[in-house]
Amino acid sequence: GESVGLHLPTLSVQEGDNSIINCAYSNSASDYFIWYKQESGKGPQFIIDIRSNMDKRQGQRVTVLLNKTVKHLSLQIAATQPGDSAVYFCAENIIGTYKYIFGTGTRLKVLA
Amino acid sequence: DADVTQTPRNRITKTGKRIMLECSQTKGHDRMYWYRQDPGLGLRLIYYSFDVKDINKGEISDGYSVSRQAQAKFSLSLESAIPNQTALYFCATSDTDYQPQHFGDGTRLSIL
């Protein structure tokens, strides 16, 4: 079911284009950040992470950028594919604490 | 993530009933968590456990209890279910610091 995804901001992109999903994090003391992908009926799936001593990290077709000055995180997906359609959300953590703070998410729709 | 298994996947029950949600993992992680997910909100932490003898309340623990039966098993109970506990519930595990959480596919719980 799609009940989790109701009322989320939506980003629609053409298949093959690049996608950029943004996240404003809340705590300037956070030092570890994660992007998750959540498909309908499934749990959040880890995509990529970054530590606060970095400002960019690349994976396969994905790049995460971290701007600590403005507390902003972004996820770039290259050559977006239909299988990328999902809800994406960020999480932040202060190392040594139990607390992960999760964003509400952005729905990515890939148009054929 | 097939390494984190939640049962049941769906449950419909009545107000006042006692319910147990179960989580088992094969990742060998010490840290386990229970979250709930509601439309338009980020994941919220109910309880967490950093090892078998460690149980801690999260931000929304009222009305819930947990049991860590073994390193691999962490169950969540609703002693007397109420309708506003209708939500998606996720179990997660993590290893050490600077490691992402790994989630099960969730339990969709409806309380009538």
Side-chain angles (χ1 to χ4, degrees):
Chain A
E2 289 294 322
S3 63
V4 168
L6 289 177
H7 312 304
L8 291 178
T10 298
L11 174 65
S12 297
V13 298
Q14 291 290 334
E15 182 178 355
D17 286 353
N18 296 335
S19 303
I20 300 175
I21 300 170
N22 297 304
C23 175
Y25 66 90
S26 62
N27 193 330
S28 57
S30 293
D31 47 13
Y32 177 56
F33 305 88
I34 309 163
W35 278 102
Y36 288 97
K37 173 186 182 182
Q38 188 174 14
E39 296 175 280
S40 178
K42 298 210 170 168
Q45 177 186 357
F46 168 74
I47 303 172
I48 192 167
D49 57 1
I50 189 167
R51 301 187 187 189
S52 61
N53 61 354
M54 304 171 70
D55 53 20
K56 180 179 180 178
R57 190 166 187 224
Q58 290 184 288
Q60 186 177 10
R61 277 202 310 120
V62 294
T63 301
V64 55
L65 299 177
L66 175 62
N67 184 330
K68 294 181 288 294
T69 302
V70 295
K71 296 192 292 184
H72 184 266
L73 197 65
S74 68
L75 176 70
Q76 300 178 0
I77 304 173
T80 312
Q81 302 169 358
D84 294 328
S85 293
V87 173
Y88 291 81
F89 57 88
C90 63
E92 58 184 287
N93 173 243
I94 300 173
I95 292 302
T97 73
Y98 67 90
K99 191 171 178 66
Y100 290 73
I101 301 171
F102 294 87
T104 54
T106 296
R107 177 181 301 284
L108 177 64
K109 286 189 175 179
V110 181
L111 308 173
Chain B
D1 191 326
D3 298 321
V4 182
T5 302
Q6 293 184 235
T7 56
R9 291 295 317 278
N10 293 279
R11 177 81 184 268
I12 301 172
T13 191
K14 294 182 179 179
T15 298
K17 294 291 187 182
R18 183 179 188 276
I19 302 156
M20 180 180 289
L21 309 183
E22 300 192 8
C23 176
S24 63
Q25 52 118 345
T26 58
K27 300 191 76 69
H29 291 167
D30 285 327
R31 304 178 185 185
M32 297 188 75
Y33 311 78
W34 275 103
Y35 291 93
R36 68 176 278 175
Q37 190 176 46
D38 298 277
L41 299 178
L43 290 162
R44 291 184 293 164
L45 182 64
I46 306 172
Y47 270 95
Y48 66 101
S49 169
F50 277 12
D51 65 44
V52 175
K53 296 181 180 179
D54 176 68
I55 300 288
N56 302 281
K57 293 182 177 181
E59 57 187 295
I60 54 163
S61 59
D62 287 349
Y64 302 95
S65 62
V66 290
S67 174
R68 184 81 185 264
Q69 301 94 323
Q71 187 207 37
K73 295 184 181 297
F74 193 35
S75 60
L76 175 72
S77 294
L78 287 67
E79 297 301 326
S80 179
I82 56 177
N84 75 1
Q85 292 177 312
T86 293
L88 269 171
Y89 289 85
F90 288 102
C91 174
T93 75
S94 67
D95 193 3
T96 59
D97 289 342
Y98 293 115
Q99 295 294 321
Q101 293 178 320
H102 298 267
F103 289 83
D105 281 336
T107 295
R108 183 178 297 279
L109 179 61
S110 297
I111 299 164
L112 308 178

